[in-house]
Amino acid sequence: MKTLQAKRSFASDNNAGVHPKILDAIVRANAGHVVAYGDDIYTASALKKFRDELGEDTEVYFVFSGTGANVLGLKAATEPYHAIMCADTAHINVDECGAPERFTGCKLVTVPTDDGKLKPALLKGLLHGIGVEHHVQPRVISISQSTEMGTVYTVEEIKELADFAHNNNLLLHVDGARIANAAVSLNKSLRAITRDAGVDVLSFGGAKNGMMYGEAVVFFKPELANGFKFTRKQGSHLASKMRFISAQFDALLTGNLWKKNAAHANRMAKILSKELASIPQIKITQKVEANGVFAIIPKNFVPVLQKQYFFYVWNPEVSEVRLMTSFDTTEEDIEKFVKLVRRIVK
Amino acid sequence: MKTLQAKRSFASDNNAGVHPKILDAIVRANAGHVVAYGDDIYTASALKKFRDELGEDTEVYFVFSGTGANVLGLKAATEPYHAIMCADTAHINVDECGAPERFTGCKLVTVPTDDGKLKPALLKGLLHGIGVEHHVQPRVISISQSTEMGTVYTVEEIKELADFAHNNNLLLHVDGARIANAAVSLNKSLRAITRDAGVDVLSFGGAKNGMMYGEAVVFFKPELANGFKFTRKQGSHLASKMRFISAQFDALLTGNLWKKNAAHANRMAKILSKELASIPQIKITQKVEANGVFAIIPKNFVPVLQKQYFFYVWNPEVSEVRLMTSFDTTEEDIEKFVKLVRRIVK
Amino acid sequence: MKTLQAKRSFASDNNAGVHPKILDAIVRANAGHVVAYGDDIYTASALKKFRDELGEDTEVYFVFSGTGANVLGLKAATEPYHAIMCADTAHINVDECGAPERFTGCKLVTVPTDDGKLKPALLKGLLHGIGVEHHVQPRVISISQSTEMGTVYTVEEIKELADFAHNNNLLLHVDGARIANAAVSLNKSLRAITRDAGVDVLSFGGAKNGMMYGEAVVFFKPELANGFKFTRKQGSHLASKMRFISAQFDALLTGNLWKKNAAHANRMAKILSKELASIPQIKITQKVEANGVFAIIPKNFVPVLQKQYFFYVWNPEVSEVRLMTSFDTTEEDIEKFVKLVRRIVK
Amino acid sequence: MKTLQAKRSFASDNNAGVHPKILDAIVRANAGHVVAYGDDIYTASALKKFRDELGEDTEVYFVFSGTGANVLGLKAATEPYHAIMCADTAHINVDECGAPERFTGCKLVTVPTDDGKLKPALLKGLLHGIGVEHHVQPRVISISQSTEMGTVYTVEEIKELADFAHNNNLLLHVDGARIANAAVSLNKSLRAITRDAGVDVLSFGGAKNGMMYGEAVVFFKPELANGFKFTRKQGSHLASKMRFISAQFDALLTGNLWKKNAAHANRMAKILSKELASIPQIKITQKVEANGVFAIIPKNFVPVLQKQYFFYVWNPEVSEVRLMTSFDTTEEDIEKFVKLVRRIVK
């Protein structure tokens, strides 16, 4: 197989490849033998960096995929008769093929939102039937940060949700597949928007921020991690050659690479949205706070664009599309894309 | 982190790193954007090579881990009220923390064996209660090839098991974490020892034969793969950046790399066992047919050796240890190890 | 314990006891020994009556409870990656503590309705993502007949749903905890509103129509029942002394007892709603088509009434209550209750 | 249907009907309306009697079936990555169609025994791999009392198992489908052989001792019952018309009916075994300590006997049969049966 000239894409931050520094870390980790399953110096180093970033008594477990991280983290926080509350646009609700229900046994109780963001006011009505055995028992509020709609919870909004959760004997789970984009957007540390804001369990994303594979399940309440190593193994997410996930996270958490990657992606989204907003036929539909741009593009133009660029139609009824930027999106990519849009809409 | 001087190991083929050609394929695959989740040319190429190797109408799905491959492949072949029959030493029985029961709902029914190998005669007694609703219903025979004991089923032995299975309305599943070592050992093609021998579902191993991560679930009866893409996703084993698993398998199946790696590991095991067998205090306990050597080493010597080499004590009662070789084991590794053994036992 | 003078209740048809003819059948079935688990003449007789009523090639399995019937019937119709679509008021969604998700692995996808009734127009929007592995795959439409809101689907409405289902490769499941009330309401046979209307799987209710315990899972497509006896046993719903469920169903299906019980309950609901409707402070909120009456009763009156009568507040925000009648509700019960209401509202 | 002249049976204590006093209690409970799901005076009374018998802080939950009681009780005591250790003859292992694995997610780890009885010495070897994530983690020892082989654990034997369990951070579960027969056999109170002997969770049998349906899950450590009402409901074992299970247990625990029924059944087994033992061609194979008799009857005689009596062949290879007596077995039943045996073997 020879290197192929790949189409540029705004489909997903998953369509990008691996950041060179992360790839380099992988290559360097490929030296000799180490004990499998995580008892190695790469893993020790990565875990230390996580704790430096997020707090000393943070429990961190690496898994293969984002769905794996969500499902296993949620399992650690629930009994099968619990309810997990989330926005109806949540990845755990629409994009994981029912994995959360399948592995936790729980019901997902969903709330419609305009911007993908939950608020206590939207959740209050779901706290009925507590103690009544006919009904699933509310236990976890799960939010995505940044959201699937490209929006970002402020620290205050997270705190409000965390307070609401803890006052009602609930836990706050964050699907942080794009947690880095949120931190950058808020200009806060990772710790400030998670532990310090009251988050209990976090899926910390790697693949959408320049890694090849690997996500982390992060517990801010260590007792939630009791037995989690067994849950991870039984959930078939214990990597044998763990060092290669660890080396990636180590690189991501070195020299603020996580921040640089996310900042770049966010900046590209800003530019893209600004350019698109300047085209009269196009309407930006969500605040652009992270690395996603939602825009209504007149229906007949979409297939023409898709011939040259991968991207998804989010809502076909109104011809709303989703455009994602990533650590490797270039200003040139955007220029060319916008130029094409301008030409087409004329 | 700087490259560390790793201890050499006979603990597991998982303690080795990645074969340079596979690492190189990963690096080359990191070019530009491709569609996530497998709709890319790397995956297309790898799937084609699998079909070239195993037959045209073979259905192949990549997953992250060996436990994932076993569990998802077994799920595809069963209803929750089924029984999966295996040797009591089977990886699915002892080394997957109950993942098969958890994900399939099935009972594992086990048979003690001397050498890790099932035979129809050992299974006949388990075919009772068929049709009786109080009892789990036999459905799958699962064997490991090569076995956890370092032994290898001959083609005839597999055929006998496949015939026995099919005559009793059962399926034959192979945990092929080390299928390459078996093919090399038998001097047969991968196809000859799987499809042509009557295997229905195969976990095709990557990580134990020089890959970084990635295994394949292989269906020789395409109808068993109906809906499997949903099962894989719901089982949280759909890789977003699939190209990096695919590129590895592509490299493994190019220029017979799979065979070279396995042949080397097998040869190292032969040398190791021969050397050890020449030491009077040591007794080889299993036929050395693949890349594992089982040996009784007097109890007091074990901790001394373990100070310098990773390896596992298999049966502490008789001080039986397991020594695994891998694609990167060197004759020098063995010489040094054996020399140390000789010095210690004196 | 001596017989107690029980409070009369409009809380649920579950608060009633057992119809005397059914109790008598139980007593008569208590003669000598029969083979356990259903290989007895009582079961044979009951099954025959079910087939006489619903069609020759109907597969019928008795279970203990309504939740058991729903969960096991849905399991028989689904793979874990499927979606089950239902009204958001459905018993399977709100009153079974997540049992359907737990046992089937499926996601329940819900639709808000005014009257508890699904329509194809409400479901069309849910048929997206078919074939896309990120999303649960629509497989079952589950309706309740009569509904949790006391309404009844007409035969035409069921046919429309069945056609919609079958045209989209879906199955139609009916939670028939109150199927008898619906048949009586429509003045149709049980067969006309199930098999002949296109229903695939039915939970046939016993306990809400005068039985002590016992429900039936009914398959109109026999192939859906393949292996169901194992699913029932593994789901822990195989009764050892099966004859006592069977004798009850036998009695229920003898001399149209099912119809008489349901007709009585429905008639009582009509009378009750008519009387309540004549009180200006009270507003009936749903059509009274079966044995449930939904009414808004001014908030301050509710606790006063509840001192003497069991019933549930359905929607506390608008002070809507649910009043259920049963086979043993008397006109005198209603008179007394309405008299009390009249006195209180003055 | 008219009352049928049933064949007498030694097949199972499940083939018997309902004790007249229990049936009478059911009939008397059928008076007026009571709140469904257990908030009624029958349930309150039965629970009080359980606590009188077993200790004040005992938590008791009624379910429909013995499999339900086992599965739900085990779920309350385990996480999915746990191992449940039992005799290979245990009902949970061979007669529940994999329900324990399906609902708990756990692996059942089995031990062969001669007499169906576990001992610490048989279990010690299973306590390996504790803390190692590749292996299921031992958590519950489950024994049957009386056993499936008709034998009975002494109080000392239970205490030894309980001590062994608690010293190893395990729990002791008892499948007490025939707990009454064991208590009578040992001439001890129910409390003495359960709570006072160190049992943690008990399935308390009803149906095999004269009830129509209904078993109880009994927790001697109240904290194990946290959330159990939700587990019971989600497990579809919450009876709507709970009073009818409760009334049966109330009757069973009134005037020592449980003891009388079991004592009678045990006495019948003693007589039966004594008579059979006097026939030279027949060999009793297990101690007769409860209500089961295991005997080798020459192969050709079995079908002749089965023409007139239901009973099961336990081990066809040696023609060992199982004969069960029940609360309603008569001396005349035994005389006739033995007479037939004598005539046949001549």
Side-chain angles (χ1 to χ4, degrees):
Chain A
M1 192 194 314
K2 57 173 181 162
T3 302
L4 84 162
Q5 196 73 30
K7 217 190 242 191
R8 298 303 293 181
S9 162
F10 293 98
S12 171
D13 21 22
N14 279 331
N15 289 19
V18 184
H19 189 278
K21 287 196 177 169
I22 291 171
L23 193 55
D24 190 48
I26 285 175
V27 172
R28 277 181 295 119
N30 192 32
H33 285 198
V34 303
V35 175
Y37 304 112
D39 190 9
D40 65 78
I41 63 158
Y42 304 96
T43 305
S45 173
L47 292 180
K48 186 180 176 316
K49 283 181 181 155
F50 262 104
R51 294 202 179 105
D52 290 348
E53 203 72 59
L54 296 173
E56 258 325 286
D57 61 340
T58 306
E59 293 289 328
V60 180
Y61 291 81
F62 301 145
V63 298
F64 288 110
S65 72
T67 295
N70 284 334
V71 161
L72 295 173
L74 289 168
K75 170 65 195 160
T78 54
E79 292 293 328
Y81 51 77
H82 281 146
I84 297 165
M85 294 171 289
C86 60
D88 61 1
T89 48
H91 196 270
I92 60 168
N93 189 45
V94 290
D95 287 314
E96 301 188 350
C97 198
E101 287 92 340
R102 175 81 156 97
F103 196 75
T104 68
C106 295
K107 178 185 284 293
L108 266 59
V109 177
T110 62
V111 182
T113 74
D114 288 332
D115 56 2
K117 287 164 68 174
L118 293 181
K119 292 166 193 56
L122 295 172
L123 296 168
K124 264 176 205 159
L126 303 181
L127 300 188
H128 53 68
I130 290 180
V132 180
E133 68 210 290
H134 302 282
H135 311 311
V136 287
Q137 297 295 297
R139 179 63 179 149
V140 172
I141 299 169
S142 179
I143 63 174
S144 302
Q145 172 76 317
S146 63
T147 74
E148 291 77 8
M149 306 310 296
T151 55
V152 171
Y153 288 89
T154 66
V155 171
E156 291 65 37
E157 288 171 331
I158 299 173
K159 280 186 178 162
E160 271 172 43
L161 281 164
D163 287 346
F164 175 78
H166 301 148
N167 290 338
N168 288 287
N169 195 30
L170 307 174
L171 297 168
L172 182 59
H173 171 265
V174 173
D175 177 353
R178 298 184 182 100
I179 190 75
N181 303 86
V184 163
S185 176
L186 296 168
N187 195 23
K188 300 279 181 187
S189 71
L190 290 168
R191 178 177 171 139
I193 67 168
T194 56
R195 169 187 289 277
D196 293 350
V199 172
D200 298 299
V201 186
L202 167 68
S203 295
F204 187 100
K208 287 187 162 76
N209 198 25
M211 279 176 52
M212 186 183 292
Y213 66 108
E215 313 279 311
V217 184
V218 176
F219 297 98
F220 294 109
K221 290 198 174 124
E223 66 273 21
L224 289 172
N226 282 345
F228 187 72
K229 67 177 180 174
F230 305 110
T231 297
R232 176 174 65 175
K233 175 65 192 178
Q234 196 180 33
S236 66
H237 271 273
L238 176 63
S240 58
K241 296 183 176 176
M242 181 72 87
R243 57 170 142 168
F244 296 105
I245 296 182
S246 304
Q248 292 181 73
F249 271 122
D250 196 272
L252 192 69
L253 296 181
T254 296
N256 279 329
L257 181 60
W258 66 268
K259 195 186 283 188
K260 291 171 188 165
N261 283 356
H264 178 83
N266 286 7
R267 197 167 62 85
M268 292 298 108
K270 283 280 189 207
I271 295 174
L272 176 60
S273 72
K274 204 182 145 195
E275 291 291 326
L276 290 177
S278 72
I279 302 172
Q281 294 89 338
I282 289 179
K283 193 189 156 198
I284 304 296
T285 54
Q286 292 284 345
K287 284 186 197 167
V288 178
E289 298 176 334
N291 64 325
V293 178
F294 288 77
I296 291 174
I297 297 183
K299 220 164 224 167
N300 45 330
F301 305 151
V302 172
V304 188
L305 283 166
Q306 282 180 325
K307 271 188 198 149
Q308 293 186 48
Y309 289 89
F310 302 135
F311 60 87
Y312 290 105
V313 176
W314 190 258
N315 183 344
E317 290 179 30
V318 296
S319 196
E320 184 184 31
V321 307
R322 185 187 79 161
L323 303 165
M324 299 301 296
T325 56
S326 60
F327 76 90
D328 70 346
T329 304
T330 63
E331 294 194 42
E332 197 192 347
D333 288 339
I334 293 172
E335 271 167 41
K336 282 191 182 163
F337 177 73
V338 173
K339 210 166 153 184
L340 180 65
V341 176
R342 287 192 200 277
R343 205 173 62 225
I344 288 170
V345 300
K346 264 189 204 152
Chain B
M1 192 192 317
K2 57 177 184 160
T3 302
L4 84 163
Q5 197 72 30
K7 217 189 243 190
R8 299 303 292 181
S9 164
F10 294 99
S12 171
D13 21 21
N14 278 331
N15 289 19
V18 183
H19 190 278
K21 289 195 175 168
I22 291 172
L23 193 55
D24 191 48
I26 285 175
V27 172
R28 278 182 292 119
N30 192 32
H33 285 199
V34 303
V35 175
Y37 303 112
D39 190 10
D40 65 77
I41 61 157
Y42 304 96
T43 305
S45 172
L47 292 180
K48 183 179 179 315
K49 283 182 181 155
F50 262 104
R51 293 202 178 104
D52 289 349
E53 203 72 59
L54 297 172
E56 257 327 284
D57 61 341
T58 305
E59 293 290 328
V60 180
Y61 292 82
F62 300 145
V63 297
F64 287 111
S65 71
T67 296
N70 284 334
V71 161
L72 296 173
L74 289 168
K75 171 64 194 159
T78 54
E79 293 294 327
Y81 51 76
H82 282 146
I84 297 165
M85 294 171 288
C86 60
D88 61 2
T89 49
H91 196 270
I92 61 168
N93 188 46
V94 291
D95 286 314
E96 301 187 349
C97 199
E101 286 92 341
R102 175 81 158 98
F103 196 76
T104 67
C106 296
K107 179 185 283 293
L108 266 59
V109 178
T110 61
V111 183
T113 73
D114 288 331
D115 55 2
K117 288 164 68 174
L118 293 180
K119 293 167 193 56
L122 294 172
L123 297 168
K124 264 175 205 160
L126 303 180
L127 300 188
H128 53 68
I130 290 181
V132 180
E133 69 210 288
H134 302 281
H135 311 311
V136 287
Q137 297 294 299
R139 179 63 179 149
V140 172
I141 299 169
S142 178
I143 63 174
S144 302
Q145 171 78 315
S146 60
T147 74
E148 292 77 8
M149 306 310 295
T151 55
V152 172
Y153 288 89
T154 65
V155 171
E156 290 66 37
E157 286 171 333
I158 298 173
K159 281 186 177 160
E160 271 173 43
L161 280 165
D163 288 346
F164 176 78
H166 301 149
N167 289 339
N168 289 288
N169 194 30
L170 307 174
L171 296 168
L172 182 59
H173 171 265
V174 172
D175 177 352
R178 298 185 182 99
I179 191 75
N181 303 86
V184 163
S185 176
L186 296 167
N187 195 23
K188 300 280 180 186
S189 70
L190 290 168
R191 176 176 173 140
I193 68 167
T194 56
R195 169 187 287 278
D196 294 351
V199 172
D200 298 299
V201 187
L202 166 69
S203 295
F204 188 100
K208 288 188 163 75
N209 199 26
M211 279 175 55
M212 187 183 293
Y213 66 108
E215 312 279 310
V217 184
V218 177
F219 297 98
F220 295 108
K221 290 198 173 126
E223 67 274 20
L224 289 172
N226 283 345
F228 187 71
K229 66 177 181 174
F230 305 109
T231 297
R232 176 175 65 174
K233 174 66 191 178
Q234 196 180 35
S236 66
H237 271 273
L238 176 64
S240 58
K241 297 184 177 176
M242 182 72 88
R243 58 171 140 169
F244 296 105
I245 297 181
S246 304
Q248 293 181 73
F249 271 122
D250 195 273
L252 193 69
L253 296 181
T254 297
N256 279 328
L257 182 59
W258 66 269
K259 195 186 281 189
K260 291 171 188 163
N261 283 357
H264 179 83
N266 286 7
R267 196 166 62 85
M268 291 299 109
K270 284 279 189 205
I271 295 174
L272 176 59
S273 72
K274 201 180 147 196
E275 291 293 325
L276 290 176
S278 73
I279 302 173
Q281 294 88 338
I282 289 178
K283 193 190 156 194
I284 305 296
T285 54
Q286 292 284 347
K287 285 186 195 169
V288 179
E289 298 177 334
N291 65 325
V293 178
F294 288 76
I296 291 173
I297 297 184
K299 217 163 228 170
N300 45 329
F301 304 153
V302 172
V304 189
L305 282 166
Q306 281 180 325
K307 271 188 198 150
Q308 294 187 46
Y309 290 88
F310 303 135
F311 61 85
Y312 290 105
V313 175
W314 190 258
N315 183 344
E317 289 179 31
V318 297
S319 196
E320 184 185 31
V321 308
R322 184 188 81 161
L323 303 164
M324 300 300 298
T325 56
S326 60
F327 76 90
D328 70 347
T329 304
T330 63
E331 294 196 40
E332 197 192 348
D333 288 338
I334 293 172
E335 270 167 43
K336 281 192 184 164
F337 178 73
V338 172
K339 209 166 153 184
L340 179 66
V341 177
R342 287 191 200 278
R343 205 173 62 224
I344 287 170
V345 301
K346 264 186 204 155
Chain C
M1 192 192 314
K2 56 177 183 158
T3 302
L4 84 162
Q5 197 69 27
K7 218 189 241 191
R8 299 303 293 181
S9 163
F10 293 99
S12 170
D13 22 20
N14 278 331
N15 290 18
V18 184
H19 189 279
K21 287 195 177 168
I22 291 171
L23 192 56
D24 190 48
I26 285 175
V27 173
R28 277 182 293 119
N30 193 32
H33 285 199
V34 304
V35 174
Y37 303 113
D39 190 11
D40 65 77
I41 61 157
Y42 304 96
T43 305
S45 173
L47 292 179
K48 185 179 178 314
K49 284 181 180 154
F50 263 103
R51 294 203 178 104
D52 290 348
E53 202 72 59
L54 296 172
E56 257 325 286
D57 61 341
T58 305
E59 293 290 327
V60 180
Y61 291 81
F62 301 145
V63 297
F64 288 111
S65 72
T67 295
N70 283 335
V71 161
L72 295 173
L74 290 168
K75 172 64 196 161
T78 54
E79 292 293 326
Y81 52 75
H82 282 146
I84 297 164
M85 295 171 289
C86 60
D88 61 2
T89 48
H91 196 269
I92 61 168
N93 188 45
V94 291
D95 286 313
E96 301 188 349
C97 198
E101 287 93 341
R102 175 81 157 100
F103 197 76
T104 68
C106 296
K107 180 185 284 293
L108 265 59
V109 178
T110 62
V111 182
T113 73
D114 289 330
D115 56 1
K117 288 164 69 173
L118 293 179
K119 293 167 194 53
L122 295 172
L123 296 168
K124 264 176 204 158
L126 303 180
L127 300 188
H128 54 69
I130 290 181
V132 180
E133 68 210 290
H134 302 282
H135 310 311
V136 287
Q137 298 295 299
R139 179 62 178 149
V140 172
I141 299 170
S142 178
I143 63 173
S144 301
Q145 172 79 316
S146 61
T147 74
E148 292 77 7
M149 307 310 294
T151 54
V152 171
Y153 289 89
T154 65
V155 170
E156 290 66 36
E157 287 171 332
I158 299 172
K159 280 186 177 160
E160 271 173 42
L161 281 165
D163 287 348
F164 176 78
H166 300 149
N167 290 339
N168 288 287
N169 194 29
L170 307 174
L171 297 168
L172 181 59
H173 171 264
V174 173
D175 177 352
R178 298 185 182 99
I179 191 73
N181 303 86
V184 163
S185 176
L186 296 167
N187 195 23
K188 300 279 180 188
S189 70
L190 291 168
R191 177 176 173 139
I193 68 167
T194 56
R195 168 187 288 278
D196 293 350
V199 172
D200 298 300
V201 187
L202 167 69
S203 295
F204 188 99
K208 287 187 163 74
N209 199 25
M211 278 175 54
M212 187 183 293
Y213 66 108
E215 313 279 310
V217 184
V218 176
F219 297 98
F220 295 109
K221 290 198 174 125
E223 65 274 20
L224 289 172
N226 283 345
F228 187 72
K229 67 178 181 175
F230 305 110
T231 296
R232 177 175 65 174
K233 174 66 192 179
Q234 196 180 34
S236 66
H237 271 273
L238 176 64
S240 57
K241 297 184 176 175
M242 182 72 88
R243 57 169 141 169
F244 295 105
I245 297 182
S246 304
Q248 292 181 72
F249 271 122
D250 195 272
L252 194 68
L253 295 181
T254 297
N256 280 329
L257 181 60
W258 67 269
K259 195 186 282 188
K260 291 171 189 166
N261 283 357
H264 179 82
N266 286 8
R267 196 166 63 84
M268 291 299 109
K270 284 278 188 205
I271 295 175
L272 176 60
S273 73
K274 202 181 149 196
E275 291 293 326
L276 290 176
S278 73
I279 302 173
Q281 294 89 337
I282 289 178
K283 192 189 156 197
I284 304 296
T285 54
Q286 292 285 345
K287 284 187 197 169
V288 178
E289 297 177 335
N291 66 324
V293 178
F294 288 76
I296 291 175
I297 297 183
K299 220 164 224 169
N300 46 330
F301 304 151
V302 171
V304 189
L305 282 167
Q306 281 180 324
K307 272 188 197 149
Q308 294 186 49
Y309 290 89
F310 302 136
F311 61 87
Y312 290 104
V313 177
W314 189 258
N315 183 344
E317 290 178 31
V318 296
S319 195
E320 184 185 32
V321 306
R322 185 188 79 161
L323 303 165
M324 299 301 297
T325 56
S326 61
F327 77 88
D328 70 346
T329 305
T330 62
E331 294 194 42
E332 197 192 346
D333 288 338
I334 294 172
E335 270 167 44
K336 281 191 183 166
F337 178 73
V338 173
K339 208 165 154 185
L340 180 65
V341 176
R342 288 193 198 277
R343 204 173 62 223
I344 287 170
V345 300
K346 265 189 204 154
Chain D
M1 192 195 313
K2 57 177 183 162
T3 303
L4 85 162
Q5 196 72 28
K7 217 189 242 192
R8 298 303 291 182
S9 163
F10 293 98
S12 170
D13 20 22
N14 278 331
N15 290 19
V18 184
H19 189 278
K21 287 194 176 169
I22 291 172
L23 192 55
D24 190 48
I26 285 176
V27 172
R28 277 181 293 119
N30 192 33
H33 285 199
V34 303
V35 175
Y37 304 113
D39 190 9
D40 65 78
I41 61 158
Y42 304 97
T43 306
S45 173
L47 292 179
K48 185 178 178 316
K49 283 181 181 156
F50 262 105
R51 293 201 179 105
D52 289 349
E53 202 73 58
L54 296 172
E56 258 326 286
D57 61 340
T58 305
E59 293 289 328
V60 180
Y61 292 81
F62 300 145
V63 297
F64 287 111
S65 72
T67 295
N70 284 335
V71 161
L72 296 173
L74 289 167
K75 171 64 196 161
T78 54
E79 293 293 327
Y81 52 75
H82 281 146
I84 297 165
M85 294 171 289
C86 61
D88 61 2
T89 48
H91 196 269
I92 61 169
N93 188 47
V94 291
D95 287 313
E96 301 188 350
C97 199
E101 286 92 341
R102 175 81 157 99
F103 196 76
T104 68
C106 296
K107 179 184 283 294
L108 265 60
V109 178
T110 62
V111 182
T113 73
D114 289 332
D115 55 2
K117 288 164 67 174
L118 293 180
K119 292 166 194 57
L122 295 172
L123 296 168
K124 264 176 204 159
L126 303 181
L127 300 187
H128 54 68
I130 290 181
V132 180
E133 68 209 290
H134 302 282
H135 311 310
V136 287
Q137 297 295 297
R139 180 60 179 152
V140 171
I141 299 169
S142 178
I143 62 174
S144 302
Q145 173 76 319
S146 61
T147 73
E148 292 77 7
M149 306 310 294
T151 55
V152 171
Y153 288 88
T154 65
V155 170
E156 291 65 38
E157 287 171 332
I158 298 172
K159 280 186 176 161
E160 272 173 42
L161 281 165
D163 288 347
F164 176 78
H166 301 149
N167 290 338
N168 289 287
N169 195 28
L170 308 174
L171 297 168
L172 181 60
H173 171 266
V174 173
D175 177 352
R178 297 185 183 99
I179 191 72
N181 302 87
V184 163
S185 176
L186 296 167
N187 195 25
K188 300 280 180 188
S189 70
L190 291 167
R191 177 177 172 138
I193 68 167
T194 57
R195 169 186 288 277
D196 294 349
V199 172
D200 298 299
V201 187
L202 167 68
S203 296
F204 188 100
K208 287 187 163 74
N209 199 24
M211 280 175 53
M212 187 184 291
Y213 66 109
E215 313 278 310
V217 184
V218 177
F219 297 98
F220 294 108
K221 290 197 174 127
E223 66 273 20
L224 289 172
N226 283 345
F228 187 72
K229 67 177 180 174
F230 305 109
T231 297
R232 177 175 65 176
K233 174 66 193 179
Q234 196 179 34
S236 65
H237 271 274
L238 177 64
S240 57
K241 297 185 177 176
M242 182 72 87
R243 58 170 141 169
F244 295 105
I245 296 182
S246 303
Q248 292 181 73
F249 270 122
D250 196 273
L252 193 68
L253 296 180
T254 297
N256 279 328
L257 181 60
W258 67 268
K259 196 186 282 188
K260 290 172 190 164
N261 283 357
H264 178 82
N266 286 8
R267 196 167 63 85
M268 291 299 108
K270 283 281 188 204
I271 294 174
L272 176 60
S273 73
K274 202 179 147 196
E275 291 292 326
L276 290 177
S278 73
I279 301 171
Q281 294 89 338
I282 289 178
K283 194 189 154 194
I284 304 296
T285 55
Q286 292 285 345
K287 284 186 197 169
V288 178
E289 297 176 336
N291 65 325
V293 178
F294 288 76
I296 291 174
I297 297 183
K299 219 163 225 169
N300 46 328
F301 304 151
V302 172
V304 188
L305 282 167
Q306 282 180 325
K307 271 188 198 150
Q308 294 188 46
Y309 290 89
F310 302 135
F311 60 87
Y312 290 105
V313 175
W314 190 258
N315 183 344
E317 290 179 29
V318 297
S319 195
E320 183 185 31
V321 307
R322 185 187 79 161
L323 303 165
M324 299 301 296
T325 56
S326 61
F327 77 90
D328 70 346
T329 305
T330 63
E331 294 194 42
E332 198 191 346
D333 288 339
I334 295 172
E335 270 166 44
K336 281 189 184 166
F337 177 73
V338 172
K339 208 164 155 185
L340 179 66
V341 176
R342 286 191 200 278
R343 204 172 63 224
I344 288 169
V345 300
K346 264 188 204 155

